[in-house]
Amino acid sequence: MLNDRTRDTSRSPAGRPFVQVDGLSKQYRPDLPPVFNQVQFGIERGEFICIIGHSGCGKSTILNVLAGLEAATTGTVIMDNREVAGPGLDRGVVFQSHALLPWLSVEENIAFAVRSRYADWSRDKVAAHAARFIEMVGLSAAAKKKPAELSGGMKQRVGIARAFAIEPKMLLMDEPFGALDALTRGVIQDELLNICEATQQTVFMITHDVDEAILLADRIFLMSNGPRARIAEIVINTLSPQRTRATIHRDPQFYRIRNHLVDFLVHRSRTFQMSGEVAELAVTRIVRPGLESDAVPDISSVLDIRASA
Ligand SMILES: Nc1ncnc2c1ncn2[C@@H]1O[C@H](COP(=O)(O)OP(=O)(O)OP(=O)(O)O)[C@@H](O)[C@H]1O
């Protein structure tokens, strides 16, 4: 499989990234500290972002805010020059559970979503569009089956096809492969890469799997532990855009990035928590193993992990 992940990263006339998140915080109760605060990042059009952090740091809450399913306590999310103020079909969401309509077949589930997005399309056009995405996830032979007749991996493929089929401006995925066995997970990761290449989809994905993040993501956001969690580091994936699951382990750079991520999760994610007051003032650190620096608005320092490897 070849992933020639060239991106259309054109910015808005205002010079803003495609998605701009500023000053985001979430406090569920006034007597408790915010789960996260000062969360700030940009996502370019066509970029694949993975976010990693310990359980409870607020990853799902951030994703829900991006989806418009939850309101932040402070801060703004601007997507394609418009503020996100609620759910909308310009964003697709894939959760770990599939949430398929059990009385509809695979193709009907996807067609249902396509019709809600493109209400004026003819029946044939909807069916052809749905079939295209069913084929992309390798489910053409199962198109007539109901969800109860599908394996967990197949159901998750339907969820992914449905999300892509509405051609969202941003696809949000909350641990989409968390419930799958390793083999199925690998196959679907490959399919996901192929679809992203074909569609230039912008993706924001939560994962607990560092290998998955290195395979899929252009950049990896690392969240410190909560409360008062924040995006402490952004790791730019400098592996070849042609990386594949089969060959990625042969690249020495893979282990440098992997060690860096694991070290963050084991050690550094906690230090931000312990120095909570200081962390509030701190800025996101960017890790860019071996690439030239270019303008990234929320970044203030560069750490080259090759130098320390
Ligand atoms: N509705 C709610 N009311 C109160 N607290 C909440 C609510 N939803 C989430 N929380 C708390 O907010 C924190 C962040 O939750 P969230 O699910 O966003 O974390 P997460 O990083 O996605 O965790 P995980 O990796 O385990 O899914 C947790 O401490 C959780 O208990």
Side-chain angles (χ1 to χ4, degrees), residues 28 35 53-62 70 175 206 208:
Y28 281 104
V35 175
H54 282 280
S55 184
C57 67
K59 302 177 296 295
S60 295
T61 306
I62 292 176
E70 204 163 328
E175 285 192 75
I206 297 173
H208 281 112

Side-chain angles (χ1 to χ4, degrees), residues 135-158:
E135 193 190 343
M136 276 189 184
V137 295
L139 279 184
S140 297
K144 305 280 181 212
K145 291 191 173 172
K146 300 265 168 63
E149 301 171 84
L150 305 177
S151 69
M154 292 163 91
K155 285 182 202 161
Q156 199 55 310
R157 284 190 174 98
V158 180

Side-chain angles (χ1 to χ4, degrees), residues 141-205:
K144 305 280 181 212
K145 291 191 173 172
K146 300 265 168 63
E149 301 171 84
L150 305 177
S151 69
M154 292 163 91
K155 285 182 202 161
Q156 199 55 310
R157 284 190 174 98
V158 180
I160 290 169
R162 181 178 57 183
F164 274 91
I166 63 166
E167 299 176 303
K169 288 181 178 173
M170 177 164 53
L171 181 61
L172 301 158
M173 299 202 283
D174 193 343
E175 285 192 75
F177 311 135
L180 303 180
D181 65 89
L183 281 176
T184 309
R185 191 183 181 115
V187 172
I188 303 185
Q189 284 169 351
D190 284 346
E191 285 165 0
L192 182 64
L193 282 176
N194 285 332
I195 304 177
C196 284
E197 185 194 334
T199 59
Q200 293 284 294
Q201 180 66 57
T202 307
V203 182
F204 181 89
M205 172 171 154

Side-chain angles (χ1 to χ4, degrees), residues 46-245:
E47 235 190 339
F48 198 124
I49 300 292
C50 278
I51 183 163
I52 296 183
H54 282 280
S55 184
C57 67
K59 302 177 296 295
S60 295
T61 306
I62 292 176
L63 184 138
N64 287 337
V65 170
L66 294 179
L69 299 170
E70 204 163 328
T73 307
T74 67
T76 53
V77 177
I78 310 276
M79 184 178 72
D80 206 11
N81 292 316
R82 297 181 68 169
E83 183 161 2
V84 168
L89 287 168
D90 55 357
R91 279 146 291 143
V93 189
V94 180
F95 293 108
Q96 198 179 105
S97 60
H98 327 288
L100 303 176
L101 300 173
W103 61 91
L104 297 181
S105 68
V106 167
E107 61 188 8
E108 288 165 345
N109 259 286
I110 296 172
F112 184 82
V114 173
R115 265 196 305 276
S116 56
R117 174 85 159 107
Y118 302 110
D120 56 336
W121 280 14
S122 70
R123 201 184 171 83
D124 285 353
K125 190 168 179 185
V126 169
H129 188 79
R132 185 175 145 231
F133 287 89
I134 292 170
E135 193 190 343
M136 276 189 184
V137 295
L139 279 184
S140 297
K144 305 280 181 212
K145 291 191 173 172
K146 300 265 168 63
E149 301 171 84
L150 305 177
S151 69
M154 292 163 91
K155 285 182 202 161
Q156 199 55 310
R157 284 190 174 98
V158 180
I160 290 169
R162 181 178 57 183
F164 274 91
I166 63 166
E167 299 176 303
K169 288 181 178 173
M170 177 164 53
L171 181 61
L172 301 158
M173 299 202 283
D174 193 343
E175 285 192 75
F177 311 135
L180 303 180
D181 65 89
L183 281 176
T184 309
R185 191 183 181 115
V187 172
I188 303 185
Q189 284 169 351
D190 284 346
E191 285 165 0
L192 182 64
L193 282 176
N194 285 332
I195 304 177
C196 284
E197 185 194 334
T199 59
Q200 293 284 294
Q201 180 66 57
T202 307
V203 182
F204 181 89
M205 172 171 154
I206 297 173
T207 179
H208 281 112
D209 180 339
V210 294
D211 291 356
E212 180 169 272
I214 300 170
L215 176 66
L216 298 176
D218 298 307
R219 289 188 296 150
I220 301 161
F221 293 179
L222 295 176
M223 278 191 82
S224 58
N225 295 0
R228 297 190 191 85
R230 61 189 190 84
I231 294 179
E233 292 187 11
I234 294 177
V235 176
I236 296 179
N237 193 344
T238 51
L239 287 176
S240 161
Q242 277 79 41
R243 63 187 175 272
T244 69
R245 199 160 46 92

